[in-house]
Amino acid sequence: MATSRQPAPCLPAVTRYYDGMTRYYQLFYSRIGLHYGLWNSHTFSLRRALINHKQEMFRRLATVTPASHILDAGCGAGWTTVFLAKLGQCRATGITLSSAQVMLARRHARNAGMDDRVEFVQGDFSSTGFASNSFTHAIASESSCHAPDKLQWLKEMQRILQPGGRLVIADYYLSRHEIEMDHRQRQEYRIFRNGFRVPHLPCLGDMEKWIAESGFHLHENDDITRQVMLTAHYIRLLGMVTLPFAWLLRLLRIAPPELLPHLHTCMHQPAALRHLGSYRLITLEKPGMTHGQGMEMSRPA
């Protein structure tokens, strides 16, 4: 596989956002993930909640063996990619638009002693350039929201997965179209899109239709909004605490222009989760060989 692809021309805002903001995620949020954490009665830290989220996505991939090859579509700085490769004792490839994230991800893989199993490429996950049937499994952890055309992205994921392969998606879905929202909902939605450089969020019904059109089979569709809500409150508090420093950095002209809108969105996270829709884990299967035929579930050493 090629190791470098040029970002799609339609996504410069997303590329700039992650080129400039990933280091701030590392400094102020976490060094093990850019996504929400999954909380339960035994979870007492954000780090544990983030690991819970990764483990749950891995569990939904079902059969993973040392022969498996997982794609992390929109891999960020590679923490989840390396985590999955370790847990499954298999190969993994991450793809991201951000050259800064690719550099961080490759460094993380080297430091973890996983650079022989894990590869990172710069490119567009809606037009990857990978050969058909290249991967046994794929995940998209809060990345599919950045695809301008969700159906095109789903078709690309379906193309590059082997028959019987699974795609696990963690993301946010609207309960109604923007035209149907009241004034408060439209305001929250505008803040969300602006701060996180999201072209649009899909309605759940539309996503289910696109899943069918792409050729996937919908295996699981679970609302886990309650389990991630504590993360939203944590992000809100973090945004409030960080905002004065962000203003100072902007005055000194050493912060990216995306920082202040990002923090504004952070402070609205609980409201967005309450008023706009639901955070879901969706598992899709590509029709073909029965998933897991002739294979056993691998366990960490």
Side-chain angles (χ1 to χ4, degrees), residues 9-269:
C10 60
L11 298 175
V14 178
T15 305
R16 286 195 303 270
Y17 172 79
Y18 283 110
D19 277 345
M21 289 300 302
T22 298
R23 58 179 172 175
Y24 291 95
Y25 274 105
Q26 288 184 300
L27 286 171
F28 298 110
Y29 183 63
S30 173
R31 296 187 67 86
I32 67 167
L34 309 185
H35 54 80
Y36 269 57
L38 186 61
W39 301 77
N40 56 42
S41 59
H42 305 293
T43 304
F44 303 102
S45 69
L46 176 65
R47 179 181 178 83
R48 181 67 251 177
L50 292 171
I51 292 173
N52 290 345
H53 190 285
K54 299 177 195 297
Q55 289 177 329
E56 180 60 20
M57 295 195 80
F58 179 84
R59 184 188 72 79
R60 289 169 184 252
L61 290 174
T63 305
V64 177
T65 75
S68 298
H69 190 180
I70 302 173
L71 175 69
D72 188 352
C75 64
W79 299 296
T80 298
T81 321
V82 171
F83 182 91
L84 295 177
K86 279 186 175 181
L87 200 57
Q89 304 173 45
C90 63
R91 295 170 60 206
T93 295
I95 184 169
T96 173
L97 288 166
S98 168
S99 60
Q101 288 186 334
V102 169
M103 291 176 59
L104 288 169
R106 289 172 177 168
R107 185 186 310 157
H108 175 51
R110 286 195 302 271
N111 292 342
M114 295 291 291
D115 52 347
D116 59 333
R117 290 192 194 175
V118 179
E119 179 185 23
F120 294 99
V121 299
Q122 183 186 6
D124 178 8
F125 63 11
S126 292
S127 181
T128 63
F130 296 132
S132 298
N133 306 322
S134 293
F135 299 92
T136 58
H137 306 77
I139 69 159
S141 182
E142 298 178 19
S143 58
S144 64
C145 57
H146 291 298
D149 186 330
K150 271 61 172 176
L151 176 57
Q152 178 186 335
W153 173 72
L154 285 166
K155 287 181 176 179
E156 177 69 356
M157 293 297 101
Q158 205 267 4
R159 183 187 69 81
I160 64 178
L161 276 174
Q162 296 177 8
R166 280 194 174 187
L167 167 63
V168 179
I169 305 169
D171 225 319
Y172 194 76
Y173 297 92
L174 299 175
S175 58
R176 65 193 68 188
H177 295 99
E178 185 173 7
I179 195 172
E180 302 168 318
M181 295 178 184
D182 60 29
H183 175 73
R184 180 177 184 180
Q185 290 170 327
R186 285 196 297 270
Q187 184 179 39
E188 294 291 351
Y189 185 41
R190 185 168 56 251
I191 291 169
F192 185 96
R193 285 184 293 131
N194 184 48
F196 290 158
R197 295 300 189 265
V198 171
H200 69 96
L201 291 172
C203 283
L204 184 60
D206 291 336
M207 189 66 176
E208 290 172 341
K209 179 183 70 174
W210 297 330
I211 288 167
E213 289 180 11
S214 70
F216 274 115
H217 167 68
L218 178 57
H219 181 70
E220 294 172 306
N221 183 0
D222 295 327
D223 183 349
I224 61 165
T225 309
R226 292 182 61 182
Q227 290 98 308
V228 302
M229 184 60 79
L230 191 57
T231 307
H233 287 286
Y234 180 93
I235 291 171
R236 180 177 185 272
L237 179 60
L238 197 60
M240 294 172 64
V241 171
T242 309
L243 188 59
F245 299 100
W247 278 110
L248 177 60
L249 292 175
R250 286 294 291 145
L251 288 172
L252 295 173
R253 299 183 179 181
I254 56 176
E258 292 82 8
L259 182 58
L260 289 177
H262 168 86
L263 292 177
H264 190 206
T265 302
C266 286
M267 291 186 287
H268 283 259
Q269 284 301 282

